[in-house]
Short mmCIF file of all heavy atoms in Angstrom, two decimals:
data_model
loop_
_atom_site.label_atom_id
_atom_site.label_comp_id
_atom_site.label_asym_id
_atom_site.label_seq_id
_atom_site.Cartn_x
_atom_site.Cartn_y
_atom_site.Cartn_z
N MET A 542 -73.62 71.17 -123.28
CA MET A 542 -73.84 70.55 -122.00
C MET A 542 -74.51 71.59 -121.09
O MET A 542 -74.09 72.77 -121.08
CB MET A 542 -72.50 70.09 -121.41
CG MET A 542 -72.54 69.55 -120.03
SD MET A 542 -73.37 67.98 -120.06
CE MET A 542 -73.20 67.47 -118.41
N GLY A 543 -75.50 71.18 -120.37
CA GLY A 543 -76.17 72.03 -119.41
C GLY A 543 -76.26 71.35 -118.07
O GLY A 543 -76.46 70.14 -117.99
N VAL A 544 -76.11 72.11 -117.01
CA VAL A 544 -76.13 71.56 -115.64
C VAL A 544 -77.05 72.39 -114.78
O VAL A 544 -76.94 73.63 -114.76
CB VAL A 544 -74.71 71.57 -115.03
CG1 VAL A 544 -74.74 71.09 -113.58
CG2 VAL A 544 -73.75 70.71 -115.84
N THR A 545 -77.93 71.73 -114.05
CA THR A 545 -78.70 72.37 -113.01
C THR A 545 -78.38 71.60 -111.72
O THR A 545 -78.56 70.39 -111.67
CB THR A 545 -80.19 72.35 -113.28
OG1 THR A 545 -80.46 73.07 -114.47
CG2 THR A 545 -80.98 72.94 -112.13
N LEU A 546 -77.93 72.29 -110.73
CA LEU A 546 -77.61 71.66 -109.46
C LEU A 546 -78.82 71.82 -108.53
O LEU A 546 -79.40 72.89 -108.40
CB LEU A 546 -76.40 72.35 -108.82
CG LEU A 546 -75.12 72.32 -109.66
CD1 LEU A 546 -74.08 73.21 -108.98
CD2 LEU A 546 -74.63 70.91 -109.80
N PHE A 547 -79.19 70.74 -107.88
CA PHE A 547 -80.29 70.74 -106.91
C PHE A 547 -79.67 70.59 -105.54
O PHE A 547 -78.82 69.75 -105.32
CB PHE A 547 -81.27 69.62 -107.24
CG PHE A 547 -82.03 69.87 -108.51
CD1 PHE A 547 -81.56 69.50 -109.74
CD2 PHE A 547 -83.25 70.55 -108.46
CE1 PHE A 547 -82.24 69.75 -110.91
CE2 PHE A 547 -83.97 70.80 -109.63
CZ PHE A 547 -83.43 70.42 -110.85
N PRO A 548 -80.10 71.41 -104.59
CA PRO A 548 -79.42 71.52 -103.28
C PRO A 548 -79.39 70.25 -102.44
O PRO A 548 -78.49 70.06 -101.62
CB PRO A 548 -80.16 72.63 -102.56
CG PRO A 548 -81.49 72.72 -103.23
CD PRO A 548 -81.22 72.31 -104.64
N LYS A 549 -80.35 69.33 -102.64
CA LYS A 549 -80.37 68.14 -101.80
C LYS A 549 -79.78 66.93 -102.58
O LYS A 549 -79.99 65.79 -102.17
CB LYS A 549 -81.76 67.84 -101.32
CG LYS A 549 -82.20 68.91 -100.34
CD LYS A 549 -83.46 68.53 -99.63
CE LYS A 549 -83.81 69.63 -98.64
NZ LYS A 549 -84.96 69.31 -97.81
N GLU A 550 -79.05 67.19 -103.65
CA GLU A 550 -78.37 66.13 -104.39
C GLU A 550 -77.28 65.56 -103.51
O GLU A 550 -76.77 66.21 -102.61
CB GLU A 550 -77.80 66.68 -105.69
CG GLU A 550 -77.07 65.71 -106.55
CD GLU A 550 -77.88 64.52 -106.99
OE1 GLU A 550 -78.61 64.62 -107.99
OE2 GLU A 550 -77.81 63.48 -106.31
N PHE A 551 -76.90 64.31 -103.78
CA PHE A 551 -75.88 63.64 -102.96
C PHE A 551 -74.51 64.31 -103.09
O PHE A 551 -73.75 64.37 -102.16
CB PHE A 551 -75.73 62.16 -103.38
CG PHE A 551 -76.98 61.37 -103.20
CD1 PHE A 551 -77.52 60.64 -104.25
CD2 PHE A 551 -77.68 61.36 -102.00
CE1 PHE A 551 -78.68 59.91 -104.11
CE2 PHE A 551 -78.84 60.64 -101.84
CZ PHE A 551 -79.35 59.91 -102.90
N TYR A 552 -74.22 64.81 -104.28
CA TYR A 552 -72.91 65.41 -104.53
C TYR A 552 -73.08 66.63 -105.44
O TYR A 552 -73.83 66.58 -106.41
CB TYR A 552 -72.00 64.38 -105.22
CG TYR A 552 -70.67 64.93 -105.66
CD1 TYR A 552 -69.69 65.22 -104.72
CD2 TYR A 552 -70.39 65.18 -106.99
CE1 TYR A 552 -68.48 65.76 -105.10
CE2 TYR A 552 -69.18 65.70 -107.39
CZ TYR A 552 -68.23 66.01 -106.43
OH TYR A 552 -67.05 66.51 -106.83
N THR A 553 -72.38 67.68 -105.15
CA THR A 553 -72.41 68.89 -105.95
C THR A 553 -71.00 69.18 -106.45
O THR A 553 -70.14 69.59 -105.68
CB THR A 553 -72.94 70.07 -105.13
OG1 THR A 553 -74.23 69.77 -104.64
CG2 THR A 553 -73.01 71.34 -105.98
N PRO A 554 -70.76 68.95 -107.75
CA PRO A 554 -69.43 69.21 -108.28
C PRO A 554 -69.15 70.71 -108.43
O PRO A 554 -70.06 71.49 -108.70
CB PRO A 554 -69.47 68.56 -109.65
CG PRO A 554 -70.89 68.66 -110.06
CD PRO A 554 -71.67 68.52 -108.79
N PRO A 555 -67.90 71.11 -108.25
CA PRO A 555 -67.56 72.50 -108.51
C PRO A 555 -67.67 72.82 -109.99
O PRO A 555 -67.41 71.98 -110.86
CB PRO A 555 -66.10 72.61 -108.05
CG PRO A 555 -65.84 71.41 -107.24
CD PRO A 555 -66.80 70.36 -107.71
N ARG A 556 -68.09 74.02 -110.31
CA ARG A 556 -68.23 74.41 -111.71
C ARG A 556 -66.91 74.27 -112.49
O ARG A 556 -66.88 73.84 -113.63
CB ARG A 556 -68.74 75.83 -111.82
CG ARG A 556 -68.98 76.24 -113.25
CD ARG A 556 -69.57 77.61 -113.39
NE ARG A 556 -69.79 77.92 -114.79
CZ ARG A 556 -70.69 78.69 -115.25
NH1 ARG A 556 -71.53 79.29 -114.44
NH2 ARG A 556 -70.80 78.93 -116.55
N ALA A 557 -65.81 74.57 -111.83
CA ALA A 557 -64.50 74.46 -112.50
C ALA A 557 -64.24 73.02 -112.97
O ALA A 557 -63.67 72.82 -114.06
CB ALA A 557 -63.39 74.90 -111.55
N TRP A 558 -64.67 72.02 -112.22
CA TRP A 558 -64.51 70.64 -112.65
C TRP A 558 -65.36 70.35 -113.88
O TRP A 558 -64.91 69.69 -114.82
CB TRP A 558 -64.90 69.67 -111.54
CG TRP A 558 -63.96 69.62 -110.39
CD1 TRP A 558 -62.89 70.46 -110.13
CD2 TRP A 558 -64.01 68.73 -109.30
NE1 TRP A 558 -62.30 70.11 -108.96
CE2 TRP A 558 -62.97 69.05 -108.42
CE3 TRP A 558 -64.87 67.69 -108.97
CZ2 TRP A 558 -62.74 68.35 -107.24
CZ3 TRP A 558 -64.64 66.98 -107.81
CH2 TRP A 558 -63.57 67.31 -106.95
N ALA A 559 -66.58 70.84 -113.87
CA ALA A 559 -67.47 70.61 -115.01
C ALA A 559 -66.91 71.31 -116.27
O ALA A 559 -66.98 70.76 -117.35
CB ALA A 559 -68.88 71.13 -114.69
N GLU A 560 -66.39 72.48 -116.10
CA GLU A 560 -65.82 73.21 -117.25
C GLU A 560 -64.63 72.47 -117.83
O GLU A 560 -64.43 72.49 -119.06
CB GLU A 560 -65.44 74.64 -116.84
CG GLU A 560 -66.67 75.51 -116.60
CD GLU A 560 -66.33 76.87 -116.02
OE1 GLU A 560 -65.23 77.03 -115.44
OE2 GLU A 560 -67.17 77.75 -116.13
N ARG A 561 -63.85 71.84 -117.00
CA ARG A 561 -62.70 71.04 -117.50
C ARG A 561 -63.18 69.77 -118.18
O ARG A 561 -62.63 69.34 -119.18
CB ARG A 561 -61.74 70.69 -116.37
CG ARG A 561 -60.72 71.78 -116.14
CD ARG A 561 -59.74 71.39 -115.08
NE ARG A 561 -60.27 71.98 -113.85
CZ ARG A 561 -60.07 71.50 -112.63
NH1 ARG A 561 -59.36 70.43 -112.45
NH2 ARG A 561 -60.57 72.11 -111.59
N ALA A 562 -64.21 69.17 -117.63
CA ALA A 562 -64.71 67.89 -118.19
C ALA A 562 -65.55 68.08 -119.46
O ALA A 562 -65.56 67.20 -120.32
CB ALA A 562 -65.54 67.15 -117.13
N PHE A 563 -66.24 69.19 -119.56
CA PHE A 563 -67.15 69.44 -120.69
C PHE A 563 -66.76 70.76 -121.34
O PHE A 563 -67.15 71.83 -120.87
CB PHE A 563 -68.60 69.46 -120.22
CG PHE A 563 -68.99 68.22 -119.50
CD1 PHE A 563 -69.14 68.20 -118.12
CD2 PHE A 563 -69.22 67.04 -120.19
CE1 PHE A 563 -69.49 67.05 -117.45
CE2 PHE A 563 -69.57 65.86 -119.54
CZ PHE A 563 -69.71 65.87 -118.16
N SER A 564 -66.05 70.70 -122.43
CA SER A 564 -65.57 71.91 -123.11
C SER A 564 -66.70 72.78 -123.65
O SER A 564 -66.51 73.96 -123.89
CB SER A 564 -64.59 71.55 -124.23
OG SER A 564 -65.25 70.78 -125.23
N LYS A 565 -67.88 72.19 -123.85
CA LYS A 565 -69.00 72.94 -124.40
C LYS A 565 -70.08 73.14 -123.35
O LYS A 565 -71.26 73.06 -123.68
CB LYS A 565 -69.55 72.25 -125.65
CG LYS A 565 -68.56 72.24 -126.78
CD LYS A 565 -69.10 71.61 -128.01
CE LYS A 565 -68.07 71.64 -129.11
NZ LYS A 565 -68.59 71.08 -130.35
N LEU A 566 -69.69 73.46 -122.15
CA LEU A 566 -70.66 73.75 -121.08
C LEU A 566 -71.25 75.11 -121.36
O LEU A 566 -70.56 76.11 -121.36
CB LEU A 566 -69.95 73.71 -119.74
CG LEU A 566 -70.83 74.01 -118.50
CD1 LEU A 566 -71.90 72.93 -118.34
CD2 LEU A 566 -69.98 74.10 -117.27
N VAL A 567 -72.54 75.15 -121.62
CA VAL A 567 -73.20 76.43 -121.98
C VAL A 567 -74.25 76.89 -120.97
O VAL A 567 -74.72 78.02 -121.05
CB VAL A 567 -73.84 76.34 -123.38
CG1 VAL A 567 -72.79 76.15 -124.45
CG2 VAL A 567 -74.90 75.32 -123.46
N TYR A 568 -74.62 76.03 -120.03
CA TYR A 568 -75.65 76.38 -119.08
C TYR A 568 -75.30 75.81 -117.73
O TYR A 568 -74.97 74.63 -117.59
CB TYR A 568 -77.01 75.83 -119.52
CG TYR A 568 -78.15 76.25 -118.64
CD1 TYR A 568 -78.73 77.53 -118.76
CD2 TYR A 568 -78.65 75.43 -117.64
CE1 TYR A 568 -79.77 77.92 -117.94
CE2 TYR A 568 -79.69 75.81 -116.83
CZ TYR A 568 -80.25 77.04 -116.96
OH TYR A 568 -81.27 77.45 -116.13
N TRP A 569 -75.37 76.65 -116.69
CA TRP A 569 -75.07 76.25 -115.30
C TRP A 569 -76.01 77.03 -114.41
O TRP A 569 -76.08 78.25 -114.46
CB TRP A 569 -73.62 76.59 -114.97
CG TRP A 569 -73.18 76.15 -113.62
CD1 TRP A 569 -73.29 76.84 -112.45
CD2 TRP A 569 -72.55 74.92 -113.27
NE1 TRP A 569 -72.77 76.13 -111.41
CE2 TRP A 569 -72.30 74.96 -111.90
CE3 TRP A 569 -72.17 73.79 -114.00
CZ2 TRP A 569 -71.68 73.91 -111.22
CZ3 TRP A 569 -71.55 72.76 -113.31
CH2 TRP A 569 -71.31 72.82 -111.96
N ASN A 570 -76.75 76.33 -113.56
CA ASN A 570 -77.68 77.01 -112.66
C ASN A 570 -77.84 76.20 -111.39
O ASN A 570 -77.65 74.98 -111.39
CB ASN A 570 -79.02 77.22 -113.33
CG ASN A 570 -79.90 78.19 -112.54
OD1 ASN A 570 -79.41 79.09 -111.88
ND2 ASN A 570 -81.21 78.01 -112.62
N GLN A 571 -78.20 76.86 -110.31
CA GLN A 571 -78.49 76.21 -109.06
C GLN A 571 -79.98 76.41 -108.73
O GLN A 571 -80.42 77.56 -108.61
CB GLN A 571 -77.62 76.74 -107.94
CG GLN A 571 -76.17 76.37 -108.17
CD GLN A 571 -75.28 76.80 -107.04
OE1 GLN A 571 -75.43 77.88 -106.48
NE2 GLN A 571 -74.35 75.95 -106.69
N ALA A 572 -80.72 75.34 -108.60
CA ALA A 572 -82.14 75.43 -108.29
C ALA A 572 -82.34 75.73 -106.81
O ALA A 572 -81.46 75.49 -105.98
CB ALA A 572 -82.83 74.11 -108.63
N SER A 573 -83.50 76.25 -106.49
CA SER A 573 -83.80 76.64 -105.11
C SER A 573 -84.14 75.46 -104.22
O SER A 573 -83.97 75.52 -103.00
CB SER A 573 -84.91 77.66 -105.08
OG SER A 573 -86.08 77.10 -105.65
N LYS A 574 -84.64 74.36 -104.82
CA LYS A 574 -84.99 73.18 -104.03
C LYS A 574 -85.00 71.97 -104.93
O LYS A 574 -85.03 72.08 -106.14
CB LYS A 574 -86.33 73.34 -103.29
CG LYS A 574 -87.47 73.83 -104.12
CD LYS A 574 -88.67 74.13 -103.26
CE LYS A 574 -89.71 74.89 -104.08
NZ LYS A 574 -90.90 75.20 -103.31
N GLY A 575 -85.00 70.79 -104.29
CA GLY A 575 -84.99 69.53 -105.07
C GLY A 575 -83.76 68.72 -104.70
O GLY A 575 -82.88 69.19 -104.01
N GLY A 576 -83.77 67.50 -105.16
CA GLY A 576 -82.66 66.61 -104.84
C GLY A 576 -82.39 65.60 -105.95
O GLY A 576 -82.60 65.94 -107.11
N HIS A 577 -82.00 64.42 -105.61
CA HIS A 577 -81.60 63.42 -106.56
C HIS A 577 -82.68 63.07 -107.56
O HIS A 577 -82.42 62.80 -108.73
CB HIS A 577 -81.11 62.16 -105.83
CG HIS A 577 -80.52 61.14 -106.74
ND1 HIS A 577 -79.32 61.33 -107.37
CD2 HIS A 577 -80.99 59.93 -107.13
CE1 HIS A 577 -79.07 60.26 -108.13
NE2 HIS A 577 -80.05 59.40 -108.00
N PHE A 578 -83.92 63.04 -107.11
CA PHE A 578 -85.06 62.73 -107.99
C PHE A 578 -85.83 64.02 -108.31
O PHE A 578 -87.04 64.10 -108.16
CB PHE A 578 -85.97 61.69 -107.34
CG PHE A 578 -85.25 60.39 -107.06
CD1 PHE A 578 -84.86 60.06 -105.80
CD2 PHE A 578 -85.00 59.54 -108.13
CE1 PHE A 578 -84.20 58.85 -105.57
CE2 PHE A 578 -84.34 58.33 -107.89
CZ PHE A 578 -83.93 58.01 -106.62
N ALA A 579 -85.09 65.01 -108.82
CA ALA A 579 -85.68 66.33 -109.04
C ALA A 579 -86.88 66.34 -109.92
O ALA A 579 -87.83 67.07 -109.67
CB ALA A 579 -84.59 67.24 -109.63
N ALA A 580 -86.90 65.50 -110.96
CA ALA A 580 -88.06 65.47 -111.87
C ALA A 580 -89.34 65.06 -111.16
O ALA A 580 -90.43 65.49 -111.52
CB ALA A 580 -87.79 64.56 -113.03
N PHE A 581 -89.23 64.25 -110.13
CA PHE A 581 -90.38 63.83 -109.35
C PHE A 581 -90.64 64.78 -108.18
O PHE A 581 -91.80 65.03 -107.84
CB PHE A 581 -90.17 62.40 -108.80
CG PHE A 581 -90.06 61.38 -109.88
CD1 PHE A 581 -88.86 60.73 -110.10
CD2 PHE A 581 -91.15 61.03 -110.65
CE1 PHE A 581 -88.76 59.76 -111.09
CE2 PHE A 581 -91.07 60.07 -111.64
CZ PHE A 581 -89.85 59.44 -111.87
N GLU A 582 -89.59 65.28 -107.58
CA GLU A 582 -89.72 66.13 -106.40
C GLU A 582 -90.16 67.56 -106.74
O GLU A 582 -90.97 68.15 -106.03
CB GLU A 582 -88.38 66.21 -105.65
CG GLU A 582 -87.88 64.87 -105.13
CD GLU A 582 -86.43 64.98 -104.65
OE1 GLU A 582 -85.86 66.07 -104.66
OE2 GLU A 582 -85.89 63.91 -104.28
N GLN A 583 -89.59 68.08 -107.78
CA GLN A 583 -89.86 69.47 -108.20
C GLN A 583 -90.07 69.53 -109.72
O GLN A 583 -89.26 70.08 -110.47
CB GLN A 583 -88.68 70.38 -107.81
CG GLN A 583 -88.38 70.41 -106.33
CD GLN A 583 -89.50 70.97 -105.53
OE1 GLN A 583 -90.22 71.88 -105.99
NE2 GLN A 583 -89.70 70.48 -104.32
N PRO A 584 -91.13 68.94 -110.21
CA PRO A 584 -91.32 68.87 -111.65
C PRO A 584 -91.41 70.23 -112.37
O PRO A 584 -90.96 70.38 -113.50
CB PRO A 584 -92.62 68.08 -111.83
CG PRO A 584 -93.31 68.20 -110.53
CD PRO A 584 -92.26 68.33 -109.49
N VAL A 585 -91.95 71.22 -111.70
CA VAL A 585 -92.07 72.56 -112.32
C VAL A 585 -90.68 73.18 -112.50
O VAL A 585 -90.35 73.69 -113.57
CB VAL A 585 -92.99 73.48 -111.50
CG1 VAL A 585 -92.99 74.91 -112.03
CG2 VAL A 585 -94.39 72.93 -111.46
N ILE A 586 -89.86 73.11 -111.46
CA ILE A 586 -88.50 73.63 -111.55
C ILE A 586 -87.70 72.87 -112.60
O ILE A 586 -87.00 73.46 -113.42
CB ILE A 586 -87.79 73.57 -110.17
CG1 ILE A 586 -88.46 74.55 -109.20
CG2 ILE A 586 -86.31 73.91 -110.31
CD1 ILE A 586 -87.97 74.43 -107.77
N PHE A 587 -87.80 71.54 -112.58
CA PHE A 587 -87.08 70.70 -113.51
C PHE A 587 -87.46 71.06 -114.97
O PHE A 587 -86.59 71.25 -115.82
CB PHE A 587 -87.37 69.23 -113.24
CG PHE A 587 -86.58 68.29 -114.12
CD1 PHE A 587 -85.29 67.93 -113.78
CD2 PHE A 587 -87.15 67.76 -115.27
CE1 PHE A 587 -84.56 67.08 -114.62
CE2 PHE A 587 -86.43 66.89 -116.08
CZ PHE A 587 -85.15 66.56 -115.76
N ALA A 588 -88.75 71.15 -115.25
CA ALA A 588 -89.22 71.48 -116.61
C ALA A 588 -88.74 72.87 -117.03
O ALA A 588 -88.33 73.05 -118.17
CB ALA A 588 -90.73 71.38 -116.66
N GLU A 589 -88.80 73.83 -116.11
CA GLU A 589 -88.34 75.18 -116.47
C GLU A 589 -86.85 75.20 -116.77
O GLU A 589 -86.40 75.89 -117.67
CB GLU A 589 -88.67 76.16 -115.34
CG GLU A 589 -88.33 77.60 -115.68
CD GLU A 589 -88.99 78.13 -116.97
OE1 GLU A 589 -90.11 77.70 -117.32
OE2 GLU A 589 -88.35 78.99 -117.63
N GLU A 590 -86.09 74.42 -116.03
CA GLU A 590 -84.64 74.34 -116.30
C GLU A 590 -84.37 73.74 -117.69
O GLU A 590 -83.52 74.22 -118.43
CB GLU A 590 -83.94 73.51 -115.25
CG GLU A 590 -83.77 74.23 -113.92
CD GLU A 590 -82.96 75.50 -114.05
OE1 GLU A 590 -81.79 75.45 -114.49
OE2 GLU A 590 -83.49 76.59 -113.72
N MET A 591 -85.16 72.72 -118.05
CA MET A 591 -85.02 72.14 -119.39
C MET A 591 -85.38 73.16 -120.47
O MET A 591 -84.69 73.27 -121.47
CB MET A 591 -85.92 70.90 -119.53
CG MET A 591 -85.55 69.76 -118.57
SD MET A 591 -83.99 68.99 -118.98
CE MET A 591 -84.46 68.13 -120.46
N ARG A 592 -86.40 73.94 -120.22
CA ARG A 592 -86.81 75.00 -121.17
C ARG A 592 -85.72 76.05 -121.32
O ARG A 592 -85.42 76.52 -122.42
CB ARG A 592 -88.12 75.63 -120.75
CG ARG A 592 -89.31 74.75 -120.93
CD ARG A 592 -90.60 75.51 -120.58
NE ARG A 592 -91.71 74.60 -120.52
CZ ARG A 592 -92.27 74.12 -119.41
NH1 ARG A 592 -91.82 74.53 -118.22
NH2 ARG A 592 -93.26 73.27 -119.44
N LYS A 593 -85.18 76.49 -120.18
CA LYS A 593 -84.11 77.53 -120.25
C LYS A 593 -82.95 77.03 -121.06
O LYS A 593 -82.38 77.79 -121.84
CB LYS A 593 -83.67 77.88 -118.82
CG LYS A 593 -84.66 78.71 -118.03
CD LYS A 593 -84.10 78.96 -116.63
CE LYS A 593 -85.11 79.64 -115.74
NZ LYS A 593 -84.57 79.82 -114.37
N PHE A 594 -82.54 75.79 -120.87
CA PHE A 594 -81.42 75.24 -121.62
C PHE A 594 -81.79 75.14 -123.10
O PHE A 594 -81.01 75.55 -123.97
CB PHE A 594 -81.06 73.85 -121.07
CG PHE A 594 -79.98 73.18 -121.83
CD1 PHE A 594 -78.67 73.65 -121.79
CD2 PHE A 594 -80.22 72.05 -122.61
CE1 PHE A 594 -77.66 73.02 -122.48
CE2 PHE A 594 -79.23 71.41 -123.31
CZ PHE A 594 -77.93 71.91 -123.25
N GLY A 595 -82.97 74.68 -123.42
CA GLY A 595 -83.42 74.56 -124.79
C GLY A 595 -83.50 75.89 -125.52
O GLY A 595 -83.20 75.96 -126.71
N ARG A 596 -83.86 76.94 -124.81
CA ARG A 596 -83.98 78.27 -125.43
C ARG A 596 -82.61 78.76 -125.95
O ARG A 596 -82.59 79.58 -126.87
CB ARG A 596 -84.53 79.29 -124.43
CG ARG A 596 -86.00 79.16 -124.18
CD ARG A 596 -86.51 80.25 -123.25
NE ARG A 596 -87.80 79.83 -122.73
CZ ARG A 596 -88.07 79.68 -121.45
NH1 ARG A 596 -87.18 79.92 -120.52
NH2 ARG A 596 -89.28 79.28 -121.07
N LEU A 597 -81.54 78.28 -125.38
CA LEU A 597 -80.22 78.68 -125.87
C LEU A 597 -80.00 78.25 -127.31
O LEU A 597 -79.17 78.83 -128.01
CB LEU A 597 -79.12 78.06 -124.99
CG LEU A 597 -79.11 78.51 -123.54
CD1 LEU A 597 -78.07 77.74 -122.76
CD2 LEU A 597 -78.85 80.02 -123.41
N PHE A 598 -80.73 77.24 -127.77
CA PHE A 598 -80.51 76.69 -129.09
C PHE A 598 -81.62 77.02 -130.09
O PHE A 598 -81.56 76.62 -131.23
CB PHE A 598 -80.31 75.18 -128.99
CG PHE A 598 -79.16 74.86 -128.08
CD1 PHE A 598 -79.39 74.47 -126.77
CD2 PHE A 598 -77.85 74.96 -128.53
CE1 PHE A 598 -78.34 74.20 -125.92
CE2 PHE A 598 -76.80 74.68 -127.67
CZ PHE A 598 -77.03 74.29 -126.38
N ARG A 599 -82.65 77.66 -129.60
CA ARG A 599 -83.77 77.99 -130.47
C ARG A 599 -83.30 78.99 -131.54
O ARG A 599 -82.67 79.99 -131.24
CB ARG A 599 -84.89 78.64 -129.67
CG ARG A 599 -86.18 78.77 -130.45
CD ARG A 599 -87.27 79.35 -129.62
NE ARG A 599 -87.58 78.44 -128.52
CZ ARG A 599 -88.39 78.71 -127.55
NH1 ARG A 599 -88.96 79.88 -127.49
NH2 ARG A 599 -88.65 77.84 -126.60
N GLY A 600 -83.54 78.65 -132.78
CA GLY A 600 -83.14 79.50 -133.88
C GLY A 600 -81.68 79.42 -134.25
O GLY A 600 -81.19 80.13 -135.13
N ALA A 601 -80.94 78.53 -133.56
CA ALA A 601 -79.50 78.41 -133.86
C ALA A 601 -79.27 77.55 -135.08
O ALA A 601 -80.04 76.78 -135.48
CB ALA A 601 -78.79 77.82 -132.67
#
C-alpha cells in the first residue's frame, strides 16, 4: 500500500490510522500541492509519486 497526501484534499488521515488499517504500508508522502483531483490538478506530481512507489518493487 502506498499513500500520497495532497494538501487540498477533503480529509487527511493520520499516518497511524493508515498503518493500523494497512499492515503492508510501504510508502507515505505528502505532496507540495494538489487536492482531490490530483491527477488532473498536478499531473507531474501525481505521476512522480506513482513512479516513486513503483520503484520500491523494481527488481523485487
Side-chain angles (χ1 to χ4, degrees):
M542 176 69 175
V544 175
T545 298
L546 302 172
F547 290 87
K549 293 190 178 185
E550 179 59 84
F551 300 127
Y552 174 73
T553 302
R556 184 176 180 152
W558 290 8
E560 289 172 340
R561 274 184 265 151
F563 304 105
S564 62
K565 294 183 180 182
L566 180 64
V567 296
Y568 184 81
W569 183 272
N570 193 30
Q571 294 184 319
S573 59
K574 50 188 168 179
H577 187 70
F578 299 104
F581 296 111
E582 298 169 4
Q583 300 297 327
V585 173
I586 293 172
F587 183 84
E589 185 56 31
E590 286 298 303
M591 296 292 287
R592 288 185 191 102
K593 287 178 185 176
F594 177 70
R596 284 184 198 119
L597 297 175
F598 303 98
R599 191 178 296 173

